[in-house]
Amino acid sequence: MSKNNPLLEAFNNAIYPVGSHSKRNIQVLKEVLNDSDGNLDSDVYGSGKLIENFQEEMAAFLGKETAVFFPSGTMAQQIALRIWCDSKGSKKVAYHPLSHLEIHEEDGLKELHHIETILLGDKDRLIRLEDVLQMKDDIACLLIELPQREIGGQLPDYEELVAICTYCREKGIKLHLDGARLYEILPYYQRTAAEICELFDSVYISFYKGIGGIAGAILAGNEAFTKESKVWKRRYGGDLISLYPYILSSSYYFKRRLPKMNQYYQEAKVLAEYYNQCHGVVTKPLEPVTNMFHVHVDLPKEKLEPILVDLYEETGVGLTHYVRESSETTCCYEVNIGDRFANIPKDELTKAFQRLDAKMREAIGVSG
Amino acid sequence: MSKNNPLLEAFNNAIYPVGSHSKRNIQVLKEVLNDSDGNLDSDVYGSGKLIENFQEEMAAFLGKETAVFFPSGTMAQQIALRIWCDSKGSKKVAYHPLSHLEIHEEDGLKELHHIETILLGDKDRLIRLEDVLQMKDDIACLLIELPQREIGGQLPDYEELVAICTYCREKGIKLHLDGARLYEILPYYQRTAAEICELFDSVYISFYKGIGGIAGAILAGNEAFTKESKVWKRRYGGDLISLYPYILSSSYYFKRRLPKMNQYYQEAKVLAEYYNQCHGVVTKPLEPVTNMFHVHVDLPKEKLEPILVDLYEETGVGLTHYVRESSETTCCYEVNIGDRFANIPKDELTKAFQRLDAKMREAIGVSG
């Protein structure tokens, strides 16, 4: 695959890849299994200590009564919205136009549940209090994603978030948190996961994003909610006889990486500064509020790619394995900071960004 | 758990457990990972050599154009039936009254797809050609399960199976094979998987039943069918970023156990004979046609359980970890033969069944 993709190939050969924790290879699981006792019994269709203990730990972490382990967030979130729709007797929910449910799930929510989705706010900004106040439809549930990934991982002010949630509570609108990257927002908000989740009726968290596990998700809420979610998990074919490869890896990397979320966040701010000093390059947000951000470049994708390939080969620093076209003259990519960043010598990083700046000046036509 | 369950506890302490391959513990995955190269790249949302190669192998094994790896059979089979319903423009399918879809999936097919199910034949016997010929409804698809697990793993004569399939083909009814245990029927039918699958438009196979993997399923059919199934897999939340723990274990145990299916089948016949020589005990089928069968006992569950506990403690042979009530005066359980059986000394087995017969005579009141 990388043979036809020079950027990916150059990234894979780079000595200092900048983003994420490690390569997505089998070693990620081998490390977990080497740390696990072979005599540990498998979970069996949602039962057994292995799954029950982890669910209890996560419920406590999120400050919810109960939690259920799911193979994926797609499954967990559709089910959450369906349950809130059934409880309200309404087939309408609201979320951001770039919600995962809207753009990455082949319309599963609509095809499987015939739920109508109200898109709140605009594609290029967060949902605001005024968007919520102006909602005309009688919706069962508002889904809020924190951070809003597709616009670079932005976050509302905490006061605005509280105001949105308070309004919905008063109106009898259920609140679901798409907290795939919930861990990553704790340092900025300076709050515990439980404090943030208290604003919501249900919450989903993921274990392969910031945590760097293999796959898997937790859905949490009150007991009636999670009980019903287990019935739907069975209906979806998500109640596997054994989910332990995902549970063990979730638990393993959760323990190791949760304490490092502030480090990743501080490093993201450092890296964004490097980017923003380059001509024709800007990050979104300008100052990250989590360990992630987007990089926007004033060059067409076809022009940036060979520049990056040369850069990686010259400096050994790999900035991204892909670039996405955003218009005919601009392109962008996402950056997530994980374990790798701390291992890159500052000198090498400085050198790489000096070279990037020089190359960008040349490409854009700025005189030195 | 086993503290409150003396039968399970006694079974777990038995030196010679009779059924299946091994304990369902983490060791099953550790063994696979120890055999895998850590540098192997993860599959990523259904792409990558790891998943694509296995899908191609399985398509070839089943004699189908293409195959898709799913986390579960529940998900795979609902999707197969939905696709055939859409292609025919009918919302009706037919299957056995004890089909997995009818009794183990919380009505997922009906709740998620609003598909109406026609139950063919009776609960205590196989679907017959006459049942199919008498169908009045205009169904999109007939699902056939081979072997029919809930009645002890029975199989129709191959000629009758061919006649059923031929009739459906003529009537434009799609045929789906629930082949969760397809491997296990090959020795009896003396046919390849591809020969059997040729009778069907689509087929699902499982990797944690006869094969003894961790979880996972393959759905196979022509290219248009599997392409659509991938869209539904995404909608269900089954298109995980990484399915490799299941794929690697499926592949590993498939290679090791497929060649042993005839051995398991022969051993099942031997074990069934042991059972049938005991008073008040009969197997269903009387002579197994696969590596599985059901054991029916003329005692209430509460009377059989302490007998089994004593038996395991006296002889070291563990026959079953559970017993299910079938009426006020009878009970039953399922037996699946795997790797373990070959390790039990014949003498110990003979002794155990002599003791079981003696205990049954006593309990039922037959004079020696």
Side-chain angles (χ1 to χ4, degrees):
Chain A
M1 204 162 78
S2 61
K3 286 252 163 89
N4 307 316
N5 188 335
L7 180 59
L8 180 59
E9 194 178 5
F11 180 82
N12 285 338
N13 290 332
I15 308 164
Y16 305 114
V18 167
S20 91
H21 300 297
S22 68
K23 283 197 174 171
R24 272 197 83 78
N25 61 22
I26 307 302
Q27 191 55 39
V28 175
L29 183 58
K30 285 185 84 136
E31 186 181 327
V32 177
L33 269 285
N34 287 339
D35 188 63
S36 305
D37 178 1
N39 291 313
L40 195 60
D41 283 332
S42 169
D43 54 312
V44 179
Y45 295 118
S47 295
K49 275 187 192 164
L50 196 156
I51 188 166
E52 286 161 11
N53 289 353
F54 187 63
Q55 289 175 165
E56 280 167 27
E57 270 176 53
M58 290 302 105
F61 170 68
L62 299 169
K64 295 293 177 199
E65 256 177 53
T66 44
V68 183
F69 193 87
F70 275 83
S72 75
T74 295
M75 192 185 292
Q77 295 206 107
Q78 288 177 17
I79 287 172
L81 296 184
R82 170 63 188 258
I83 292 171
W84 295 137
C85 280
D86 284 353
S87 87
K88 174 104 174 213
S90 155
K91 279 285 196 186
K92 285 183 192 172
V93 298
Y95 51 52
H96 191 272
L98 298 182
S99 166
H100 195 275
L101 289 109
E102 192 64 20
I103 65 174
H104 290 307
E105 301 181 9
E106 294 278 1
D107 279 340
L109 187 72
K110 298 165 200 174
E111 294 286 341
L112 290 167
H113 300 286
H114 309 287
I115 288 174
E116 188 186 331
T117 58
I118 313 297
L119 305 181
L120 267 194
D122 294 324
K123 281 190 180 191
D124 56 357
R125 63 162 177 86
L126 291 168
I127 292 174
R128 296 181 190 136
L129 176 59
E130 65 198 57
D131 301 319
V132 179
L133 297 179
Q134 285 164 14
M135 271 195 307
K136 295 276 186 301
D137 297 278
D138 188 28
I139 62 164
C141 180
L142 170 61
L143 176 148
I144 294 179
E145 183 186 346
L146 299 176
Q148 197 73 50
R149 181 207 178 161
E150 298 289 341
I151 52 172
Q154 296 184 47
L155 284 174
D157 286 341
Y158 200 72
E159 293 65 35
E160 186 169 11
L161 178 65
V162 171
I164 289 172
C165 294
T166 306
Y167 174 82
C168 288
R169 280 276 157 90
E170 284 167 4
K171 294 285 174 188
I173 297 168
K174 294 288 180 185
L175 286 151
H176 173 76
L177 172 57
D178 178 342
R181 296 164 188 272
L182 172 66
Y183 329 95
E184 306 172 30
I185 71 176
L186 306 181
Y188 176 77
Y189 276 151
Q190 293 274 307
R191 300 191 181 254
T192 65
E195 281 176 284
I196 296 167
C197 292
E198 213 189 333
L199 302 171
F200 296 87
D201 298 285
S202 56
V203 53
Y204 136 72
I205 54 175
S206 167
F207 295 100
Y208 70 88
K209 288 161 184 168
I211 296 297
I214 296 167
I218 277 280
L219 182 65
N222 68 28
E223 208 172 326
F225 171 83
T226 50
K227 193 177 166 197
E228 209 176 330
S229 80
K230 286 182 184 176
V231 175
W232 282 106
K233 182 182 167 192
R234 170 62 62 104
R235 287 177 179 148
Y236 265 69
D239 191 18
L240 305 192
I241 183 165
S242 298
L243 283 164
Y244 71 77
Y246 299 137
I247 299 168
L248 290 174
S249 55
S250 297
S251 173
Y252 181 90
Y253 291 110
F254 178 84
K255 283 184 186 65
R256 277 154 187 80
R257 289 179 179 146
L258 185 68
K260 296 168 85 176
M261 289 294 156
N262 187 48
Q263 174 197 319
Y264 304 148
Y265 165 47
Q266 300 304 332
E267 290 169 338
K269 287 194 284 191
V270 169
L271 183 63
E273 260 193 67
Y274 273 110
Y275 271 113
N276 288 314
Q277 282 161 17
C278 292
H279 278 78
V281 181
V282 67
T283 67
K284 192 172 177 179
L286 203 58
E287 181 174 303
V289 290
T290 69
N291 68 329
M292 73 165 288
F293 56 85
H294 285 186
V295 178
H296 291 264
V297 181
D298 284 340
L299 280 181
K301 173 180 150 82
E302 317 79 61
K303 290 219 168 145
L304 180 61
E305 281 181 343
I307 289 175
L308 293 175
V309 171
D310 285 353
L311 183 76
Y312 302 173
E313 284 169 1
E314 284 172 33
T315 66
V317 175
L319 294 178
T320 180
H321 69 278
Y322 80 101
V323 169
R324 189 182 301 150
E325 183 179 291
S326 38
S327 76
E328 272 184 27
T329 57
T330 60
C331 62
C332 65
Y333 56 89
E334 185 176 288
V335 174
N336 288 281
I337 296 298
D339 289 347
R340 278 169 167 171
F341 191 83
N343 299 325
I344 307 172
K346 261 297 177 47
D347 286 0
E348 305 291 340
L349 203 63
T350 306
K351 219 186 299 170
F353 275 97
Q354 283 168 349
R355 291 294 302 137
L356 178 62
D357 186 41
K359 284 171 187 290
M360 284 299 300
R361 282 165 182 265
E362 199 186 313
I364 293 176
V366 181
S367 56
Chain B
M1 206 161 78
S2 61
K3 287 248 165 95
N4 308 316
N5 188 335
L7 181 59
L8 180 58
E9 196 179 1
F11 181 82
N12 285 337
N13 291 331
I15 309 164
Y16 306 114
V18 168
S20 91
H21 300 299
S22 69
K23 282 197 173 169
R24 272 197 82 80
N25 62 20
I26 308 302
Q27 191 56 38
V28 175
L29 182 58
K30 286 184 85 136
E31 185 181 327
V32 177
L33 269 287
N34 287 339
D35 188 63
S36 305
D37 178 2
N39 291 313
L40 195 60
D41 284 331
S42 169
D43 54 312
V44 180
Y45 295 118
S47 295
K49 275 187 193 165
L50 196 156
I51 188 166
E52 287 162 10
N53 288 354
F54 187 62
Q55 289 175 163
E56 280 167 28
E57 268 175 56
M58 289 303 105
F61 171 67
L62 300 167
K64 295 293 177 199
E65 257 177 53
T66 44
V68 182
F69 193 87
F70 275 83
S72 75
T74 296
M75 191 184 292
Q77 294 205 108
Q78 287 178 15
I79 287 172
L81 296 184
R82 170 63 187 259
I83 292 171
W84 295 137
C85 280
D86 284 353
S87 86
K88 174 103 174 214
S90 156
K91 279 285 195 185
K92 285 183 193 171
V93 299
Y95 51 52
H96 191 271
L98 297 182
S99 166
H100 196 275
L101 289 109
E102 193 64 18
I103 64 173
H104 290 307
E105 302 182 7
E106 293 278 1
D107 279 339
L109 188 72
K110 297 164 200 174
E111 293 286 340
L112 290 167
H113 300 285
H114 309 286
I115 288 173
E116 187 186 331
T117 58
I118 313 297
L119 305 181
L120 267 194
D122 294 324
K123 281 190 180 191
D124 56 357
R125 63 162 177 86
L126 291 169
I127 292 174
R128 297 181 189 137
L129 176 59
E130 65 198 57
D131 301 318
V132 179
L133 296 178
Q134 285 164 13
M135 270 195 309
K136 295 276 187 300
D137 297 277
D138 188 29
I139 62 165
C141 181
L142 170 61
L143 176 147
I144 294 178
E145 184 185 346
L146 299 176
Q148 197 73 49
R149 180 204 180 164
E150 299 289 342
I151 51 172
Q154 297 184 45
L155 284 175
D157 287 340
Y158 200 73
E159 293 63 36
E160 186 168 11
L161 177 64
V162 171
I164 289 173
C165 294
T166 306
Y167 174 80
C168 288
R169 281 277 157 90
E170 282 166 6
K171 294 286 175 189
I173 297 167
K174 294 288 180 184
L175 287 150
H176 174 76
L177 172 57
D178 178 342
R181 297 162 188 275
L182 172 64
Y183 329 95
E184 306 171 31
I185 71 176
L186 306 182
Y188 176 75
Y189 276 151
Q190 294 274 306
R191 300 192 182 255
T192 65
E195 281 176 284
I196 296 167
C197 292
E198 212 187 334
L199 301 171
F200 295 86
D201 298 286
S202 56
V203 53
Y204 137 71
I205 55 175
S206 166
F207 295 101
Y208 70 87
K209 288 162 184 169
I211 296 297
I214 297 167
I218 277 280
L219 182 64
N222 68 29
E223 209 173 325
F225 171 83
T226 50
K227 193 178 165 195
E228 210 174 330
S229 79
K230 286 181 184 176
V231 175
W232 282 105
K233 182 182 167 193
R234 170 61 62 105
R235 286 178 179 147
Y236 266 69
D239 191 20
L240 305 191
I241 183 165
S242 298
L243 283 165
Y244 71 78
Y246 299 137
I247 299 168
L248 290 175
S249 54
S250 297
S251 171
Y252 181 88
Y253 291 110
F254 178 83
K255 282 185 187 65
R256 277 155 187 79
R257 290 180 178 144
L258 185 67
K260 294 166 86 176
M261 289 295 156
N262 187 48
Q263 174 198 320
Y264 303 148
Y265 165 48
Q266 300 305 333
E267 290 168 340
K269 287 193 285 190
V270 169
L271 183 63
E273 260 192 67
Y274 273 110
Y275 272 113
N276 287 315
Q277 281 161 18
C278 291
H279 278 76
V281 180
V282 67
T283 67
K284 193 173 178 180
L286 204 58
E287 180 174 304
V289 290
T290 69
N291 67 328
M292 73 167 287
F293 56 86
H294 285 186
V295 177
H296 291 263
V297 181
D298 284 340
L299 280 181
K301 174 180 150 83
E302 318 78 60
K303 291 221 169 145
L304 180 61
E305 282 180 343
I307 290 177
L308 292 176
V309 171
D310 286 351
L311 182 76
Y312 302 174
E313 285 168 1
E314 284 172 34
T315 66
V317 174
L319 294 178
T320 180
H321 68 278
Y322 80 101
V323 169
R324 188 181 300 151
E325 182 179 294
S326 38
S327 77
E328 273 184 25
T329 56
T330 59
C331 61
C332 65
Y333 55 89
E334 185 177 288
V335 174
N336 289 280
I337 297 298
D339 289 347
R340 278 168 165 172
F341 190 83
N343 299 325
I344 307 171
K346 259 299 174 45
D347 285 359
E348 306 291 340
L349 204 63
T350 305
K351 220 185 300 169
F353 275 97
Q354 283 168 350
R355 291 293 303 136
L356 178 63
D357 187 42
K359 285 170 185 291
M360 285 299 301
R361 283 166 181 264
E362 198 185 314
I364 293 177
V366 180
S367 57

